[in-house]
Amino acid sequence: MGVDAGVDAGVDAGVDGGGPEVLIELHGVEKVFAVRRRAGLLRREKHQVRAVDGISFEVARGEVVGYIGPNGAGKSTTVKMLTGILTPSAGRLRVAGIDPARERMRLAHRIGVVFGQRTTLWWDLPLKDSYGLMRRLYRIPRARFAENLERCVDRLDLGPLLDVPVRQLSLGQRMRGDIAAALLHDPEVLYLDEPTIGLDVVSKAKVREFLRQLNAERGTTVLLTTHDLQDIEQLCGRVMVIDHGRLVYDGTPAGLHAAGAAGESERMLVLHLERELPAVCVEGARVVKVEGPRQWLAFPAGASAAPLVAQVAARYPLSDLSVREPDIEDVIARMYAGRG
Amino acid sequence: MHLRTGRRAGLYLAVAVGGFRRYAAYGVATAAGVFTNTAFGFIVACTYMALWAERPGLGGYDQGQALAFVWVSQSMLAACALLGGGFQEEVQERIRTGDIAVDLYRPADLQLWWLAADLGRAAFQLLGRGLVPLVAGALVFPLALPADPVRWLLFLGSVLLGLVVSFALRWLLALSAFWLLDGSGVNLVAVVASVFFSGMLLPLTVFPGGFGELVRVLPWAAILQVPLDVLLGRHAGAAEVWRALGFQAVWALLLLGAGRLVQSAATRKVVVQGG
């Protein structure tokens, strides 16, 4: 019951205060891990890894923020500090006014967490059993639980899955099941760590549509890490890029492209020729890499691949080809190129 | 505060029920386990018959008591997870893969959560894996089992305490994965130690001298030897029985406390693996 009162008070404060209420607040946050490495037979060297190296940002209530960066950049470490699982080595961190590491339990009632590659669901038991457990875990009043569950089941198409043991669910079904599990207690903030990883196109679209509705209707603040640029473009009004533990960009997704080298992003046509040849020459694209019989052609993301394919097919012995969409790594790589 | 405690009890009860149902979901594994326990029971029972024919009254048991010791211990074997197969491998795997992060951010006590799940599992295995071997043994061999219902109740209480001691030992084992990352080595050592020191191999009462004194006060004795002695009525009078239960309770509390210390050290200092 105390939890409810807290939530209401928070919302009021946001309205009364005029400006947007700050919900997540990081100030010079660092996380340093001591790693022991084997150096010789018995000797071990201790050295430090700065996973997060002085990050500061604020997220207002109701924002949907993408938190992106290459593998090992410090994304998950940040999310773990925001949930209170990891304690920052330095700096100040507040979520809904709570110091996560100090009051992990109290904070847990106000946040929802989905780790894309892990599950909170009970592997061997029907999906609905896990939800019953969530009701007790978060002390959700029965009426509110029933209402929230019904909404999630309806929007995420979980109806036919409720009696199915979790181990029999597909990845996309399990992910939808996990997202529902994270929302039954009406969290103010939802952290999603790679929510669309490994999902097919249809499942990705469902998850994105659900998150959009959640944010629009309930004002839930969403912080998501992803490798999928479309997650960012379709969901986030703001994106933060982290690399080597530091924030290197904080702004709109459109601005992210502008920060890239040429302004416009490029797609890649990957050709598999029948034999090794010198770099092909086609109009509207440039060869960026040759590796044996394979060649990579970059062309503007806005242009069609069809005329290029026609040109190549007419003039070169082509055995196979594929088109690669621009991804976050490319955008970030170009960002660095643009700065350098 | 009272209401809160009550609701938390409801949570851990639900976790225990889930633990029970998880194991109940695998019928074939249970049937295979029942067969194994029964087969082992016959082998060990025949060995004990030969041993007690040669040395009547060994360890203070007559032959009927020794046979009861064999069959009741076989039916407790899976529940006590003396040969592994409890939660510890699962928690070690979760630590190794980093899935433990999911457990850590839940607003619940990590140790109590897994204790509840493990007691749920044990309850299932006591029924699902314990009853059939015991009945099979009782049909074939003359077991000296008590008729007094109070003795059986005390036995069940003692089994519960033994299960908590078993959990607490395995909790330490599970947490070792925070440092070792691979638990298979320590698990093997733990199986050998617990099979011997619990009295599974031979009743601890047969060992003479200082060594016997020692093995009877180690925590493993609280898992199997003590509940069996409570059942077989080796304790003269109520005071002795309560002393035996107290011995178990002290080990349970000490080991659970040690587990909490190790746990806080683990979560404070060690990197949650992965990501």
Side-chain angles (χ1 to χ4, degrees), chain A residues 33 76-77 80 83 85 104-105 108-109 113 115 118-120 122 124-126 129 133 136-139 167, chain B residues 4 7-8 10-11 14-15 18 21-22 26 97-99 101-102 104-109 113 271 273-275:
Chain A
F33 293 122
S76 295
T77 303
K80 280 175 187 156
T83 59
I85 300 174
R104 184 174 60 80
M105 294 272 201
H109 288 274
V113 186
F115 290 112
R118 319 189 186 288
T119 184
T120 188
W122 233 325
D124 312 273
L125 296 179
D129 288 22
L133 195 69
R136 291 177 188 280
L137 185 58
Y138 291 99
R139 305 190 192 105
R167 66 186 137 84
Chain B
R4 230 177 115 166
R7 286 208 195 161
R8 288 287 95 171
L11 168 68
V15 173
R21 295 188 46 209
R22 272 185 70 185
Y26 296 100
T97 60
D99 282 355
V102 173
L104 286 172
Y105 83 75
R106 282 191 189 119
D109 185 89
W113 179 284
V271 184
Q273 295 298 311

Side-chain angles (χ1 to χ4, degrees), chain A residues 109-312:
Chain A
H109 288 274
R110 302 181 61 174
I111 63 173
V113 186
V114 178
F115 290 112
Q117 305 191 62
R118 319 189 186 288
T119 184
T120 188
L121 304 170
W122 233 325
W123 199 242
D124 312 273
L125 296 179
L127 187 55
K128 64 168 193 256
D129 288 22
S130 290
Y131 296 151
L133 195 69
M134 291 296 151
R135 182 177 69 73
R136 291 177 188 280
L137 185 58
Y138 291 99
R139 305 190 192 105
I140 311 167
R142 271 180 195 279
R144 193 148 67 95
F145 172 77
E147 185 190 317
N148 286 348
L149 183 59
E150 194 188 315
R151 190 178 58 248
C152 285
V153 165
D154 180 48
R155 299 257 170 98
L156 289 164
D157 294 331
L158 295 173
L161 308 177
L162 286 175
D163 292 306
V164 179
V166 171
R167 66 186 137 84
Q168 291 174 17
L169 298 181
S170 73
L171 186 61
Q173 291 170 336
R174 204 222 73 210
M175 179 63 71
R176 274 144 51 204
D178 257 309
I179 291 175
L183 291 170
L184 297 173
H185 60 291
D186 286 327
E188 294 157 73
V189 191
L190 180 63
Y191 302 125
L192 298 147
D193 196 8
E194 304 276 4
T196 57
I197 196 163
L199 301 195
D200 60 56
V201 181
V202 180
S203 299
K204 278 184 183 179
K206 268 187 198 167
V207 166
R208 288 182 193 135
E209 178 54 27
F210 178 80
L211 294 175
R212 228 190 333 261
Q213 279 180 350
L214 178 78
N215 175 254
E217 292 170 14
R218 306 187 72 78
T220 307
T221 308
V222 178
L223 181 71
L224 69 97
T225 76
T226 183
H227 276 92
D228 190 327
L229 202 55
Q230 285 189 308
D231 284 345
I232 301 291
E233 282 166 352
Q234 296 183 13
L235 282 174
C236 304
R238 175 182 169 195
V239 57
M240 291 188 283
V241 181
I242 180 177
D243 192 31
H244 292 99
R246 288 167 185 255
L247 210 55
V248 295
Y249 178 83
D250 185 352
T252 61
L256 184 63
H257 287 287
E264 191 180 10
S265 56
E266 289 180 319
R267 289 199 284 171
M268 201 70 78
L269 184 65
V270 186
L271 305 176
H272 292 247
L273 303 171
E274 280 170 10
R275 59 181 183 276
E276 272 184 55
L277 285 173
V280 301
C281 182
V282 288
E283 215 176 304
R286 60 195 167 86
V287 176
V288 292
K289 191 167 141 192
V290 178
E291 205 180 274
R294 287 190 298 168
Q295 302 198 4
W296 280 257
L297 275 73
F299 63 101
S304 164
L308 289 179
V309 174
Q311 276 188 68
V312 173

Side-chain angles (χ1 to χ4, degrees), chain A residues 23-42:
Chain A
L23 204 57
I24 302 174
E25 195 186 341
L26 280 82
H27 219 80
V29 169
E30 294 177 17
K31 181 67 194 181
V32 182
F33 293 122
V35 180
R36 282 194 182 81
R37 222 183 6 206
R38 204 175 282 264
L41 197 62
L42 289 169

Side-chain angles (χ1 to χ4, degrees), chain B residues 26-254:
Chain B
Y26 296 100
V28 178
T30 304
V34 166
F35 177 79
T36 310
N37 287 139
T38 311
F40 260 109
F42 275 100
I43 294 167
V44 181
C46 293
T47 314
Y48 275 28
M49 280 172 82
L51 197 56
W52 261 262
E54 204 60 38
R55 297 283 299 276
L58 181 62
Y61 302 112
D62 60 33
Q63 201 188 57
Q65 284 176 315
L67 287 170
F69 192 100
V70 172
W71 284 100
V72 178
S73 66
Q74 280 299 324
S75 46
M76 288 170 62
L77 179 60
C80 298
L82 288 174
L83 301 176
F87 72 98
Q88 67 275 24
E89 291 95 345
E90 194 182 342
V91 169
Q92 285 166 348
E93 182 66 10
R94 290 179 79 80
I95 292 169
R96 200 181 61 73
T97 60
D99 282 355
I100 197 78
V102 173
D103 300 344
L104 286 172
Y105 83 75
R106 282 191 189 119
D109 185 89
L110 190 67
Q111 192 189 35
L112 277 180
W113 179 284
W114 283 98
L115 173 61
D118 196 52
L119 288 179
R121 172 202 62 81
F124 171 76
Q125 294 196 320
L126 213 51
L127 294 171
R129 298 246 332 235
L131 281 180
V132 173
L134 187 59
V135 170
L139 287 176
V140 178
F141 298 92
L143 309 187
L145 292 172
D148 180 8
V150 175
R151 186 90 68 76
W152 281 96
L153 277 178
L154 286 169
F155 167 68
L156 285 180
S158 181
V159 166
L160 179 65
L161 285 168
L163 290 172
V164 176
V165 172
S166 162
F167 165 83
L169 278 170
R170 287 177 293 125
W171 182 245
L172 291 169
L173 207 60
L175 292 180
S176 72
F178 272 110
W179 288 274
L180 301 173
L181 292 187
D182 177 36
S184 51
V186 283
N187 289 355
L188 193 65
V189 174
V191 164
V192 173
S194 56
V195 165
F196 181 81
F197 290 115
S198 66
M200 185 77 221
L201 199 65
L202 271 176
L204 299 179
T205 48
V206 307
F207 299 111
F211 182 72
E213 296 289 331
L214 177 69
V215 294
R216 286 190 288 273
V217 296
L218 292 178
W220 291 279
I223 300 174
L224 203 70
Q225 183 72 41
V226 172
L228 284 164
D229 279 345
V230 168
L231 183 71
L232 297 176
R234 301 234 328 153
H235 301 286
E240 284 259 337
V241 173
W242 288 114
R243 230 172 58 106
L245 296 177
F247 166 76
Q248 290 181 295
V250 166
W251 269 124
L253 289 174
L254 278 178

